[in-house]
Amino acid sequence: MSARKTRVAVVFGGRSTEHTISCVSAGSVLANLDPDRFEVVPIGITPEGGWVLGDSDPAALAIRGRELPSVSDGKALVLAGDPTLRELVSVEPGAEALGGVDVVFPVLHGAFGEDGTIQGLLEMAGIPYVGAGVLASAVAMDKEYAKKLLAAEGLPVGRYAALRRGRSTLDDEDRERLGLPVFVKPARAGSSIGISKVTDWAGLDAAIALARRTDPKVLVEAAVVGREVECGVLEFPDGRVEASLPAEIRVLSEDADAWYDFETKYLGEEAELDIPAKLDDVVTERLQALAVRAFEALDCQGLARVDFFVGEDGTPTINEVNTMPGFTSTSAYPKMWQVTGVDYRTLVTTLVDTALARGTGLR
């Protein structure tokens, strides 16, 4: 009699502005979970917050041309309407969530998923899950506090100012301190959504208004001159934490002000990834060591992608830490690990095994 397969709930979509990218990431994860080991339960969350049983066909979550997939009640069975599905997910307040599964892979990007919210729900339900816990998820999602903790651990971060609700713009002192250009971004979002590059202070207020469509708290960061380099971090079931070979993002544009925005990341052909990045061994090893230190400084678990700027002299600056990086076919995180020697299927298997080994509770 064969052993029961591990039941993995892949949760995707969600209420954040990164809903569609989460769907694409989930499609890649679904395609690479080993069917001999895992029984997969795909669960989508609509932009309105409804939980639905999703399509297990990864092709349904692929980008078609320039059309991005999303979760809607019309594409799946609404769980609340089918009593046979209530054992999988319950949306009743205080009821058991995601009962009947062994582990959850929350492929959720941004607010209401990558920020500690679903992690808290799963902790209360006692269900193991892939990735960072409540604290690390919340801190890494909030770029202001992530920078504060990284700096407190002696790690290199760039100059920035935080504009909370009620503070409409930068004062003269901050403008002098930061200089131009600056990047204006939502403090708690990702996938380059709501971000603007400002090269003239006359454009600052419009950039702040755009960022505030996503988050009332806005970060204004001094531009760092350097190459954009990313490094993956992976925790193994035995507790080891290792860094991948780094990747460099190169934006292919004749426009001097071009940068790695949403269009370039997911819908265009104006960027390339060099994996491994063309760096000397000393710089590569330093980035890998800093990536692991950043992972530990924020008390991360499971996985993370640490993004750097690397100056001409090899000096690194940490831009941010992502606790649930993209898993799309073009995403750097799985590609970096593939070049490092961990193929996509082994990567997602390792993440699930690590989650099961760790369990829930205090970390």
Side-chain angles (χ1 to χ4, degrees), residues 24 43 54 90 100 104 112 155 171 252 315 333 340 352:
V24 180
I43 297 173
S90 172
V104 173
F112 310 109
L155 295 166
D171 57 30
L252 309 176
T315 300
Y333 186 83
T340 306
V352 171

Side-chain angles (χ1 to χ4, degrees), residues 308-319:
F308 297 91
F309 296 112
V310 180
E312 289 185 5
D313 62 354
T315 300
T317 300
I318 297 176
N319 182 28

Side-chain angles (χ1 to χ4, degrees), residues 146-217:
K147 289 178 187 293
K148 287 180 176 180
L149 283 180
L150 293 170
E153 291 294 312
L155 295 166
V157 298
R159 302 188 309 278
Y160 69 94
L163 301 177
R164 292 179 174 79
R165 188 191 301 273
R167 186 181 176 193
S168 61
T169 191
L170 293 179
D171 57 30
D172 291 341
E173 182 179 345
D174 276 332
R175 295 187 189 207
E176 179 68 24
R177 179 174 61 87
L178 297 176
L180 285 170
V182 293
F183 283 91
V184 180
K185 60 180 67 174
R188 295 162 291 197
S191 296
S192 298
I193 292 171
I195 300 181
S196 303
K197 183 178 182 180
V198 174
T199 57
D200 186 315
W201 291 124
L204 178 64
D205 290 348
I208 292 170
L210 175 64
R212 281 198 161 132
R213 294 179 191 172
T214 300
D215 189 342
K217 184 164 78 166

Side-chain angles (χ1 to χ4, degrees), residues 50-297:
W51 292 56
V52 302
L53 191 63
D55 194 327
S56 60
D57 180 6
L61 296 171
I63 299 175
R64 289 183 171 85
R66 296 178 63 84
E67 182 181 353
L68 292 160
S70 63
V71 179
S72 69
D73 291 349
K75 290 184 180 179
L77 297 172
V78 180
L79 295 181
D82 187 339
T84 65
L85 300 176
R86 288 183 187 274
E87 340 181 320
L88 299 179
V89 177
S90 172
V91 293
E92 298 296 329
E96 183 181 358
L98 296 161
V101 301
D102 300 303
V103 61
V104 173
F105 199 135
V107 194
L108 295 165
H109 305 315
F112 310 109
E114 193 180 349
D115 60 353
T117 48
I118 195 169
Q119 290 78 11
L121 173 69
L122 296 171
E123 288 287 352
M124 288 192 295
I127 303 173
Y129 54 93
V130 169
V134 175
L135 174 65
S137 297
V139 168
M141 191 76 251
D142 190 317
K143 297 174 180 63
E144 177 193 8
Y145 286 97
K147 289 178 187 293
K148 287 180 176 180
L149 283 180
L150 293 170
E153 291 294 312
L155 295 166
V157 298
R159 302 188 309 278
Y160 69 94
L163 301 177
R164 292 179 174 79
R165 188 191 301 273
R167 186 181 176 193
S168 61
T169 191
L170 293 179
D171 57 30
D172 291 341
E173 182 179 345
D174 276 332
R175 295 187 189 207
E176 179 68 24
R177 179 174 61 87
L178 297 176
L180 285 170
V182 293
F183 283 91
V184 180
K185 60 180 67 174
R188 295 162 291 197
S191 296
S192 298
I193 292 171
I195 300 181
S196 303
K197 183 178 182 180
V198 174
T199 57
D200 186 315
W201 291 124
L204 178 64
D205 290 348
I208 292 170
L210 175 64
R212 281 198 161 132
R213 294 179 191 172
T214 300
D215 189 342
K217 184 164 78 166
V218 171
L219 224 59
V220 183
E221 299 177 339
V224 179
V225 177
R227 300 158 66 180
E228 292 191 55
V229 180
E230 303 178 342
C231 192
V233 182
L234 178 64
E235 180 186 8
F236 292 83
D238 62 4
R240 285 180 296 124
V241 175
E242 296 182 4
S244 71
L245 289 169
E248 179 177 1
I249 301 161
R250 292 188 297 108
V251 177
L252 309 176
S253 174
E254 295 179 0
D255 182 354
D257 290 328
W259 56 284
Y260 198 45
D261 60 6
F262 181 90
E263 287 275 323
T264 304
K265 279 184 179 180
Y266 301 111
L267 300 175
E269 298 179 352
E270 295 83 20
E272 287 184 351
L273 284 173
D274 287 337
I275 310 175
K278 296 178 175 65
L279 302 165
D280 65 48
D281 291 345
V282 172
V283 175
T284 294
E285 290 173 7
R286 185 178 185 193
L287 292 178
Q288 290 175 312
L290 285 173
V292 172
R293 284 182 60 195
F295 184 89
E296 294 173 343

